[in-house]
Amino acid sequence: MMSSRACKPFSSSLLAASKLLLKSSSRAPPLQISALVGSMVPKIQGPKNSSGFPRSYMSATLASLAKEEEVPSKAIDTLRAVEDQHGGVIVNIEEPMNSSVFASLLEDSILQWREKGKKGVWIKLSREHSNLVDSAVKAGFRFHHAEPDYLMLVNWIPNTPDTLPANASHRVAVGAFVMNANREVLVVQESNGRFSGQGIWKLPTGGVDEGEDICTAAVREVKEETGIDTQFVEVIAFKERHKSFFRKSELFFVCMLQPHSFKIQRQVSEIEAAQWMAIEDYMAQPFVRENELFDFLTKIGLSKFDGKYNGFSTVLSSTSSRKKSYFYFNNKDAGHMLA
């Protein structure tokens, strides 16, 4: 048991440390913290199992303070950040961190960034660092976007109008118009979604993956849903629909594809049935006949098949960053410009 002499100075030192740590103006200097921590641990000589307070009984806060003092080279006053191209900074938390320590560092960091004239502050938190989200929100940060492995938060720190870009506003999807030499169109019945169980034959459709080109996505979707190999010909039409997916808008591109195989192998997990269907039978469906958009789209596909319509072909071009990307254009009217 600790003697009454050891207890009294420990209590007074703990009270002093508490008052110091609770001051909102600034954190205690490292040397002062070291002195306080040392004063709270009685200097008792003897074996490790002797009476008194061994270091292992210190609170987590005090232990962390002591640890920082022991390894001063690892102590940092602000969060590590890299500058972006628009006068802001990006913080990518990579190591585990206590939420209280993070909140304190974030507060000091914002003060310094503000003094340096920084604007937007981005904080990227992986799932492993989700314990820091509450501290960031309390510091004025808002959610910007999320991916399966991280959450991005942002805060506009100067007293000027916020010009930070919003999250992506659109998702991209494709539909494929594939017709063989017998004037049969490739159609499917879906197992899931709004058309499932209704007996409706429709064109293969699907979403464009991250980093995927529209022309590549259309070929992939047809292969996945029907097993048919195709080649991209043109984008023959596209439409825009708002608030279609969790308040996001959708850009839907219809592509003409040329088939290179004809034996159907449907995707069991998503497709109830697939077939080559006479274009007249497809257009005779009430779903197509009574829907102005689908009826018009089918007529455009037929016109393209008969050589009476031109959509947008692709050409692989270089951007200012020297990256290659597809450029879509009307090859009939502007093809001569490639020369």
Side-chain angles (χ1 to χ4, degrees):
M1 181 181 297
M2 185 182 294
S3 66
S4 59
R5 292 183 178 181
C7 184
K8 185 173 182 181
F10 177 79
S11 301
S12 59
S13 298
L14 180 61
L15 180 60
S18 301
K19 290 181 178 179
L20 179 61
L21 294 173
L22 288 173
K23 287 184 177 180
S24 58
S25 58
S26 64
R27 295 194 307 278
L31 293 177
Q32 194 170 354
I33 292 176
S34 178
L36 285 169
V37 172
S39 68
M40 286 184 282
V41 181
K43 298 178 175 61
I44 299 177
Q45 302 296 327
K48 293 182 179 179
N49 60 354
S50 62
S51 63
F53 263 6
R55 181 174 294 271
S56 59
Y57 289 156
M58 293 169 62
S59 70
T61 303
L62 296 177
S64 64
L65 290 173
K67 185 175 182 181
E68 289 181 8
E69 179 61 22
E70 290 169 1
V71 192
S73 60
K74 292 185 178 181
I76 56 175
D77 294 326
T78 58
L79 295 169
R80 296 176 185 174
V82 295
E83 296 185 358
D84 62 22
Q85 299 179 348
H86 307 282
V89 295
I90 303 172
V91 178
N92 185 10
I93 303 297
E94 298 178 345
E95 300 294 334
M97 188 179 298
N98 178 276
S99 59
S100 298
V101 174
F102 172 74
S104 180
L105 289 173
L106 182 58
E107 181 181 0
D108 289 348
S109 299
I110 291 176
L111 289 175
Q112 288 199 22
W113 292 329
R114 220 180 245 128
E115 290 177 357
K116 294 179 180 179
K118 299 304 177 184
K119 299 176 181 178
V121 178
W122 303 82
I123 297 181
K124 182 180 180 180
L125 297 177
S126 64
R127 289 183 296 177
E128 292 77 10
H129 305 131
S130 59
N131 63 307
L132 307 180
V133 173
D134 184 61
S135 297
V137 171
K138 288 179 179 178
F141 284 76
R142 65 179 186 269
F143 297 162
H144 186 267
H145 67 271
E147 295 293 340
D149 56 342
Y150 75 87
L151 170 68
M152 185 69 79
L153 299 99
V154 67
N155 187 10
W156 182 263
I157 60 175
N159 295 320
T160 58
D162 186 342
T163 61
L164 289 170
N167 184 22
S169 60
H170 288 66
R171 67 190 296 261
V172 182
V174 292
F177 192 94
V178 187
M179 185 176 288
N180 61 26
N182 298 324
R183 299 181 70 85
E184 295 172 326
V185 63
L186 183 63
V187 292
V188 299
Q189 288 185 350
E190 296 178 337
S191 302
N192 308 298
R194 56 181 291 208
F195 299 120
S196 64
Q198 299 184 40
I200 294 174
W201 293 99
K202 58 181 288 293
L203 302 180
T205 60
V208 177
D209 292 337
E210 182 177 353
E212 186 178 36
D213 292 299
I214 293 169
C215 53
T216 305
V219 172
R220 174 186 55 77
E221 280 293 339
V222 170
K223 179 66 174 179
E224 288 179 356
E225 294 189 359
T226 68
I228 300 297
D229 295 313
T230 60
Q231 180 180 352
F232 173 80
V233 179
E234 288 180 353
V235 171
I236 58 174
F238 73 91
K239 73 181 183 71
E240 187 176 28
R241 185 174 57 153
H242 299 295
K243 295 184 178 180
S244 67
F245 187 78
F246 293 103
R247 299 192 304 178
K248 300 300 181 183
S249 299
E250 179 185 75
L251 288 172
F252 183 78
F253 292 84
V254 183
C255 302
M256 170 72 77
L257 306 181
Q258 180 180 352
H260 286 284
S261 66
F262 304 94
K263 184 179 179 180
I264 293 175
Q265 293 179 326
R266 68 180 177 89
Q267 184 180 27
V268 178
S269 60
E270 294 186 12
I271 303 301
E272 185 68 28
Q275 68 168 333
W276 291 101
M277 189 178 200
I279 189 64
E280 294 80 11
D281 295 338
Y282 173 75
M283 296 183 69
Q285 293 184 104
F287 168 74
V288 176
R289 190 177 63 252
E290 298 171 4
N291 188 308
E292 183 180 13
L293 177 63
F294 285 94
D295 180 64
F296 186 46
L297 177 59
T298 306
K299 292 175 180 177
I300 289 177
L302 273 175
S303 182
K304 172 59 187 176
F305 187 82
D306 293 332
K308 301 176 182 179
Y309 176 88
N310 276 87
F312 290 89
S313 303
T314 59
V315 60
L316 196 60
S317 59
S318 298
T319 64
S320 58
S321 61
R322 298 185 181 276
K323 291 182 179 180
K324 293 287 187 178
S325 63
Y326 282 109
F327 181 73
Y328 295 80
F329 72 109
N330 186 314
N331 190 34
K332 180 180 178 180
D333 297 328
H336 64 281
M337 299 179 185
L338 293 178

